[in-house]
Amino acid sequence: MRKTCLSLFLAAALAGCQTAPPPDAPREGAAAAASREAGFPAVAESLLMRALERSPEWSIYAGRYDDAATLTVPDAQRRAEDLSFAEAALAELAAFDPAQLPPDQRIDHMLLTNRFESTLWYLSIFRDWAWNPASYNVAGPIGLLLNTPYADEDSRLRTVMARLERVPDYYRAARASIEDPTPEHVELAIVQSRGALSVFGDGLRERIAGLGLDAAERATFETRIDAAREAIQGWIDWLEGEQARLAERGNARSFRIGPDLYEAKFRYDVQSDFTARELYERAVAEKERLHAQMDGITRQLWPKYFAGTAMPQDRLERIGMMVGHLSQRHVAREDFVDEIRRQIPLLAEFVREHDLLDQDESRPLVVRETPEYMRGGGAGASISAPGPFNPTANTYYNVSPLDGYTDEQAASFLREYNHWVLQILNIHEAIPGHYTQLLHANKTPSLIKSLIRNGAMIEGWAVYAERMMLEQGWGGQEPEMWLMYGKWNLRVVTNAILDYAVHVEGMTEAQAMDLLRREAFQEETEAVNKWRRVRLSQVQLTSYFTGYAEIYDFRERLKREQGEAFDLKTFHNRFLSYGNAPVPAIVGLMGEGR
């Protein structure tokens, strides 16, 4: 359920702590004076556009291609420039008192301030640029340029050719930046870098040969492809050497970030009214509530599926038996991706028939196999959505194929994504989950709220959409569907528990597998992937439950306050109209009638 989300600088600014100001950074005094003379919207827009210009990679993901030919080299000088730019930006923002701004502008001020403050924190304190080699990969933006028809093929290929020129410099900078990597992130970097080689393979050479590039351009392109592949392969070789060295040394850096870094990262990334500890405690309580609910459904279904079989005394055991039995109903291995494609229009029709929220049929969803350079992080499905500068581009539903699984692993995976759960997955990823929400976000008049994406709002909406669809009748109110929804929702809850417990409390692999397998009823393949994922990320796994809890609480409060006047479609459209802002900010805006 991981999503492809944008970061303001972190994809391009991945290392170092020098403080020499970049040529384009405003002086603090001049910035403050200019800010006082200009209205806040003009200053905010200026900051946003300067940030985009400084990060061609972010611009590409946002659908803006003005600087797409430039590849950012993540060296120490670049990190120093990013620090200086963020400090200067904060000085400009400090010229405005948020309390004196209208509510909508107040949120933009908060989003920009949080983003630049988090940039400083990531670069100078968290410093994952020094220990996470998986942060370095040139394939993503180039893959987007090759697959997004924002211009004719010749122009896009020339843009790619220009970016390729600095690929060797990019990987030299990456190698120089890594100081003390974790073994887990080295392994991920190797897997994804091997996938990156596929972007620069025969398919790209065939596209070059078939287009209007002259002989000199084709020769330059071929040379640069060869140099890029050599640089990536050299990076892989170096990573494999690091992997062997870390294994021999035996005392490598831990992937656990500890309580102080965790609370700070939660504050910057999630922007919730919860603290990380409060969210963890609520998740523990929600796990108990779900177990009680699922037990009631299991007792109801027992005579239907286990007539004549004694019901176990242990609650988790009897729920697990029922879940295991129902999980045997699933699609064939070879039909997995096709079944996802089949369900998407059915979900869209259900939303139309029940008038749940606005859709846009002019912007279809494309189901595809997950590109190789995106695989290996532990997520089987994700959404790649266009940014607001190119909102009509394709949105991709990435589905990882089961080709690399053994028969046993594939069977486990299909039991996890069984007949009922696969439907909930598609609600989450597609309609009316991520795909629908991001379409709405691209239409918000505030570029800031659209471009600065809050993961908890995005993930929380998708989780909320699952429950809302079942409440409205998807699945026919079958108890089997609600039992499997409980199992699925336990993933969200245990994500939050697992992430905090692993990184803050030192939960072991055995304890994690017990939580996932026995208490959340997950198949072994799913649990193993989640253990892998929690070692490769921090805080992101909490975003699902955080956003969901905040959205659901807000909706239920409005229903109590408005009574019969409450309209679900109006609530959904208004909520989604505020882009990707944090849920507490949206609650504030809707509460003030904005």
Side-chain angles (χ1 to χ4, degrees), residues 47-283:
L47 274 175
L48 186 67
M49 295 311 296
R50 278 179 280 156
L52 281 165
E53 290 165 3
R54 285 182 48 74
S55 179
E57 291 71 29
W58 184 35
S59 289
I60 291 170
Y61 283 114
R64 177 183 177 273
Y65 306 100
D66 301 47
D67 311 297
T70 302
L71 173 65
T72 304
V73 175
D75 56 16
Q77 179 180 346
R78 172 66 189 204
R79 293 190 291 272
E81 292 174 356
D82 285 339
L83 282 167
S84 295
F85 183 85
E87 290 167 351
L90 288 170
E92 290 192 51
L93 291 168
F96 296 92
D97 179 3
Q100 302 303 314
L101 296 174
D104 195 54
Q105 294 180 26
R106 195 184 311 149
I107 300 306
D108 287 350
H109 188 283
M110 178 268 290
L111 288 170
L112 287 169
T113 299
N114 181 79
R115 181 56 64 182
F116 291 120
E117 287 180 347
S118 68
T119 297
L120 298 179
W121 181 81
Y122 268 98
L123 289 173
S124 61
I125 296 176
F126 196 59
R127 291 170 54 89
D128 53 340
W129 50 264
W131 52 262
N132 179 10
S135 299
Y136 301 96
N137 195 324
V138 299
I142 290 176
L144 274 177
L145 294 172
L146 291 171
N147 294 319
T148 305
Y150 67 91
D152 62 76
E153 180 89 337
D154 286 22
S155 298
R156 285 155 47 215
L157 284 172
R158 288 188 175 95
T159 298
V160 170
M161 181 170 65
R163 287 187 69 82
L164 287 179
E165 183 178 13
R166 301 199 73 189
V167 168
D169 294 334
Y170 179 98
Y171 283 105
R172 277 191 290 270
R175 192 180 305 187
S177 297
I178 295 298
E179 298 171 0
D180 186 22
T182 75
E184 292 80 8
H185 290 94
V186 170
E187 179 185 10
L188 177 62
I190 292 170
V191 171
Q192 293 188 334
S193 296
R194 287 172 180 159
L197 285 172
S198 67
V199 176
F200 310 107
D202 292 340
L204 179 56
R205 297 183 194 274
E206 290 170 3
R207 288 173 70 167
I208 297 167
L211 290 172
L213 304 181
D214 60 35
E217 286 178 311
R218 286 199 298 273
T220 298
F221 212 150
E222 291 282 355
T223 299
R224 290 182 182 177
I225 289 174
D226 291 340
R229 290 183 61 85
E230 183 178 352
I232 295 170
Q233 186 59 57
W235 169 242
I236 293 170
D237 294 342
W238 182 81
L239 288 169
E240 289 175 339
E242 284 292 288
Q243 190 175 48
R245 183 183 65 81
L246 293 172
E248 182 179 352
R249 195 177 72 182
N251 62 339
R253 179 191 182 99
S254 172
F255 64 86
R256 305 176 198 270
I257 65 173
D260 293 340
L261 290 177
Y262 193 94
E263 281 287 357
K265 195 173 192 295
F266 184 88
R267 184 171 64 252
Y268 285 122
D269 290 3
V270 178
Q271 295 175 270
S272 171
D273 285 341
F274 294 107
T275 65
R277 180 69 193 184
E278 289 169 346
L279 191 280
Y280 168 76
E281 291 172 352
R282 174 153 177 177

Side-chain angles (χ1 to χ4, degrees), residues 323 362 379 389 415 459:
V323 167
S362 69
F389 292 103
R415 287 193 300 269
E459 297 293 358

Side-chain angles (χ1 to χ4, degrees), residues 197-370:
L197 285 172
S198 67
V199 176
F200 310 107
D202 292 340
L204 179 56
R205 297 183 194 274
E206 290 170 3
R207 288 173 70 167
I208 297 167
L211 290 172
L213 304 181
D214 60 35
E217 286 178 311
R218 286 199 298 273
T220 298
F221 212 150
E222 291 282 355
T223 299
R224 290 182 182 177
I225 289 174
D226 291 340
R229 290 183 61 85
E230 183 178 352
I232 295 170
Q233 186 59 57
W235 169 242
I236 293 170
D237 294 342
W238 182 81
L239 288 169
E240 289 175 339
E242 284 292 288
Q243 190 175 48
R245 183 183 65 81
L246 293 172
E248 182 179 352
R249 195 177 72 182
N251 62 339
R253 179 191 182 99
S254 172
F255 64 86
R256 305 176 198 270
I257 65 173
D260 293 340
L261 290 177
Y262 193 94
E263 281 287 357
K265 195 173 192 295
F266 184 88
R267 184 171 64 252
Y268 285 122
D269 290 3
V270 178
Q271 295 175 270
S272 171
D273 285 341
F274 294 107
T275 65
R277 180 69 193 184
E278 289 169 346
L279 191 280
Y280 168 76
E281 291 172 352
R282 174 153 177 177
V284 170
E286 181 67 7
K287 175 165 66 74
E288 172 60 29
R289 188 194 70 79
L290 283 169
H291 281 163
Q293 183 182 65
M294 294 173 71
D295 189 38
I297 298 173
T298 295
R299 290 174 178 274
Q300 175 188 349
L301 291 174
W302 197 267
K304 179 178 179 180
Y305 292 102
F306 289 104
T309 301
M311 187 183 299
Q313 292 298 310
D314 180 78
R315 179 175 69 174
L316 295 181
E317 184 179 351
R318 58 180 174 258
I319 296 172
M321 284 182 63
M322 184 61 68
V323 167
H325 180 80
L326 295 178
S327 296
Q328 299 299 323
R329 182 180 174 186
H330 56 72
V331 299
R333 175 176 184 165
E334 62 272 15
D335 296 333
F336 182 69
V337 177
D338 287 341
E339 177 61 18
I340 289 176
R341 289 194 179 99
R342 186 189 72 83
Q343 289 185 18
I344 302 305
L346 301 179
L347 291 167
E349 181 60 26
F350 183 90
V351 171
R352 277 191 297 273
E353 287 181 354
H354 291 75
D355 203 24
L356 298 178
L357 78 170
D358 290 339
Q359 299 186 89
D360 188 345
E361 296 180 7
S362 69
R363 301 177 187 178
L365 178 64
V366 179
V367 179
R368 69 175 181 181
E369 291 189 1
T370 305

Side-chain angles (χ1 to χ4, degrees), residues 480-511:
E480 290 89 346
M481 176 62 89
W482 278 105
L483 180 68
M484 284 301 180
Y485 168 78
K487 166 183 156 57
W488 176 266
N489 200 234
L490 273 173
R491 289 172 54 146
V492 172
V493 173
T494 54
N495 277 351
I497 295 171
L498 178 73
D499 201 68
Y500 187 89
V502 166
H503 285 285
V504 176
E505 299 188 333
M507 175 181 273
T508 65
E509 180 178 2
Q511 292 169 330

Side-chain angles (χ1 to χ4, degrees), residues 406-425:
T406 64
D407 289 344
E408 182 178 354
Q409 290 171 330
S412 175
F413 180 91
L414 292 168
R415 287 193 300 269
E416 183 69 28
Y417 293 92
N418 55 63
H419 170 75
W420 295 277
V421 169
L422 186 58
Q423 297 173 58
I424 302 171
L425 172 69

